[in-house]
Amino acid sequence: MKLSVIGGGGVRSVFLAKSIAGRSESLGINEVVFSDTDARKLEIYGGLAKGAAARLAPGLKFVLTTDKTEAVKDADYVITTIRQGGDMLRVADERAALDLGLLGQETTGAAGFGFAMRSLPALVGYCELALKYAKPEVKIFNFTNPAGLMTQSLACLGYSNAFGVCDAPSGMLRQFADYLGADVKDLRAECYGLNHLSFFADITLNGQSVMRKLMEDDEAYKHTDLRFFDKSKVLELGEIPNEYLYYYFSPEKAVRNILTSGKTRGETIAEINRCMTEELSLPQIKGDYDKSLEVFEKWHGRRENAYMATETGVKRDKPWHFDLYSPDDGGYAGVALKYMDIVRGGGTGEMILCVRNGGGLDFLENDDTVEITCDVSSKGAVPHKIHVGEGYQKQIITLMKQYERLASEALINKSVSAAVEALSINPFVGNRRDARTLVDRFLQISKDYTYDWK
């Protein structure tokens, strides 16, 4: 089996390689290709990934290439994790929104649309290459943000073999398992909503619900990403929100915190990535794999420990470490690998994916893309049918799905008017004047990646 990673020069590539190499034998993966259009980043971060695979699975064929066709040729599975325009255009997107006093978060916030303008053409190009050169039954797992909007757009364009995947829900479940002293395999969850706008309707441990325990236990708000929420708000919802709901609950606070700190999330990441890349490029580091891992752990640890800290004013309580040889928790690649494992085993398993709604949420259209718990088998992914009451959850999901539909239409048709309409109903923008200003700024920022908008 051949697995291809598009965007293999990303700073998180070593995580992907660790997960893939560690499970390559059991999954029947004998060839892995990491591809990137940035040759320098591919050499550095793809090199770290290749080194990890060499240590964990010496017999695994591991190829680095800047050739897009070579990357997808005869692939059984393709993972896309790309950042068109790099870190600095993310910064520009966020600043364009912040200059208007708006939240520029790159997935749910206004900046997500700017990112999508660059992402969708690139993703469509890779989907077309996969259709032409990969295996006929190839599956594409898209990690590229904004994952929900990208999956919605790919579905509208007819790419039924593409799934949206995000490790946020599974990451939160791992935190809960750790807090409860349990194995995450013994947890199951009923999750529903949209990407970065989802809720856990129930979480069970060995068949017994632990929702009330988690929602009511003060310690859970110290040691998991419930730390971003007021306990009273969670209890009012009666469900556990994805950490990104912080932005929906407290957008003004997030903007104030960013302005007070003087740095956006994108600027923090850009600085960390620049420093890490420079140090990894030093001759005395570049030739020593163990020293390279130490440098990577140092800088990426700063990134992880600062997760959402600027916007929320709250930091995670556990220092981040990376051990190449420790048991792998799945993490970044775990979602895609779990799908492969289920299909290879011939049975059925549960996963949280971004897929066609198909009646899972009865208040949305069947063709809408949702993030939801699914039954996965070799026949595909079937969303669970989850009842949602007439409360906040239903209201905000309905509003954001309306935004995603219009945004998808704008991206596909390259329509300025549709883009303005979409952003005007996004709760982080909310008016046509700012929406029009943002669309104009995003087009200018992405002028080297966006063409023929009208």
Side-chain angles (χ1 to χ4, degrees):
M1 182 191 299
K2 178 178 176 179
L3 171 61
S4 298
V5 177
I6 307 301
V11 297
R12 300 173 76 184
S13 289
V14 69
F15 303 140
L16 279 165
K18 176 184 175 180
S19 297
I20 293 167
R23 300 183 64 185
S24 58
E25 185 175 352
S26 64
L27 291 174
I29 300 171
N30 53 25
E31 181 178 1
V32 175
V33 177
F34 273 39
S35 172
D36 206 289
T37 56
D38 187 322
R40 185 189 180 208
K41 287 183 65 180
L42 183 64
E43 180 186 8
I44 295 172
Y45 296 105
L48 277 176
K50 187 173 183 177
R55 294 189 173 197
L56 297 173
L60 178 65
K61 181 180 180 181
F62 199 106
V63 178
L64 303 179
T65 182
T66 57
D67 188 316
K68 297 178 182 179
T69 300
E70 179 187 357
V72 301
K73 188 175 181 180
D74 297 325
D76 297 273
Y77 291 96
V78 175
I79 293 174
T80 56
T81 171
I82 61 177
R83 178 168 292 284
Q84 290 293 94
D87 293 332
M88 296 317 297
L89 290 199
R90 172 185 179 169
V91 169
D93 290 339
E94 291 176 347
R95 280 291 169 184
L98 203 58
D99 287 347
L100 298 174
L102 304 173
L103 182 64
Q105 210 283 326
E106 71 155 356
T107 57
T108 57
F113 188 81
F115 190 11
M117 281 179 159
R118 300 187 295 275
S119 298
L120 186 61
L123 283 175
V124 169
Y126 284 114
C127 286
E128 285 298 308
L129 280 174
L131 286 176
K132 187 173 182 180
Y133 295 106
K135 296 281 183 64
E137 300 301 318
V138 65
K139 295 291 187 294
I140 299 171
F141 297 102
N142 176 52
F143 281 95
T144 302
N145 279 322
L149 179 53
M150 291 297 93
T151 308
Q152 178 77 49
S153 300
L154 291 177
C156 289
L157 289 166
Y159 298 107
S160 59
N161 61 335
F163 298 97
V165 286
C166 179
D167 57 351
S170 57
M172 207 168 199
L173 287 175
R174 284 193 298 275
Q175 291 182 27
F176 292 150
D178 184 52
Y179 175 68
L180 294 168
D183 188 328
V184 72
K185 293 178 182 178
D186 295 326
L187 286 182
R188 65 173 300 273
E190 287 293 317
C191 179
Y192 72 92
L194 310 179
N195 181 241
H196 289 180
L197 176 51
S198 60
F199 302 85
F200 289 111
D202 195 18
I203 301 172
T204 60
L205 174 60
N206 294 320
Q208 298 296 314
S209 179
V210 292
M211 282 286 286
R212 298 307 302 181
K213 174 178 176 57
L214 290 168
M215 290 192 296
E216 294 175 356
D217 190 344
D218 290 340
E219 292 301 307
Y221 292 81
K222 297 177 183 178
H223 302 299
T224 76
D225 281 348
L226 281 173
R227 62 174 55 86
F228 300 131
F229 304 108
D230 290 332
K231 180 180 176 180
S232 60
K233 180 66 175 180
V234 176
L235 291 172
E236 178 188 338
L237 287 171
E239 296 179 337
I240 293 178
N242 180 290
E243 66 260 34
Y244 281 82
L245 263 295
Y246 167 81
Y247 298 111
Y248 290 90
F249 298 159
S250 308
E252 295 87 1
K253 181 180 178 182
V255 169
R256 285 198 307 271
N257 286 343
I258 294 168
L259 291 173
T260 300
S261 75
K263 280 186 180 181
T264 66
R265 169 74 173 160
E267 286 166 339
T268 298
I269 289 175
E271 182 178 358
I272 289 172
N273 288 350
R274 178 183 57 80
C275 292
M276 179 164 56
T277 301
E278 289 178 356
E279 189 167 355
L280 286 170
S281 300
L282 295 173
Q284 64 270 33
I285 300 297
K286 191 175 180 180
D288 188 320
Y289 190 76
D290 289 321
K291 286 185 178 178
S292 294
L293 283 183
E294 290 175 6
V295 170
F296 174 80
E297 180 182 36
K298 176 181 71 175
W299 288 106
H300 205 278
R302 295 181 185 181
R303 171 173 169 161
E304 290 296 317
N305 291 333
Y307 179 68
M308 291 181 66
T310 297
E311 303 96 316
T312 65
V314 179
K315 291 185 178 181
R316 288 176 167 173
D317 65 329
K318 291 184 178 180
W320 184 85
H321 298 292
F322 179 67
D323 181 357
L324 182 62
Y325 301 101
S326 66
D328 185 61
D329 64 3
Y332 195 44
V335 182
L337 295 177
K338 184 176 179 180
Y339 183 97
M340 298 176 203
D341 191 30
I342 293 170
V343 172
R344 182 176 173 82
T348 301
E350 285 188 356
M351 293 187 64
I352 300 169
L353 294 169
C354 291
V355 296
R356 179 179 177 273
N357 179 39
L361 300 178
D362 61 10
F363 60 95
L364 298 182
E365 297 175 10
N366 284 340
D367 288 338
D368 285 337
T369 293
V370 295
E371 184 169 87
I372 195 166
T373 302
C374 301
D375 290 325
V376 173
S377 69
S378 59
K379 296 179 180 179
V382 179
H384 287 192
K385 295 186 183 300
I386 298 176
H387 174 72
V388 181
E390 299 293 331
Y392 174 81
Q393 291 93 315
K394 185 174 183 178
Q395 294 170 12
I396 193 64
I397 291 169
T398 300
L399 175 61
M400 279 301 287
K401 179 45 66 176
Q402 185 182 0
Y403 158 72
E404 285 191 353
R405 291 189 200 112
L406 285 170
S408 178
E409 175 189 336
L411 293 167
I412 291 169
N413 297 321
K414 299 182 178 180
S415 169
V416 171
S417 61
V420 172
E421 184 67 22
L423 282 172
S424 70
I425 65 170
N426 183 301
F428 299 107
V429 182
N431 67 81
R432 296 187 65 84
R433 182 189 68 253
D434 287 341
R436 179 67 208 218
T437 299
L438 283 169
V439 172
D440 290 341
R441 291 186 182 182
F442 290 151
L443 284 170
Q444 179 60 30
I445 290 167
S446 297
K447 62 182 183 297
D448 294 333
Y449 300 88
T450 54
Y451 307 97
D452 303 323
W453 277 69
K454 51 190 182 297

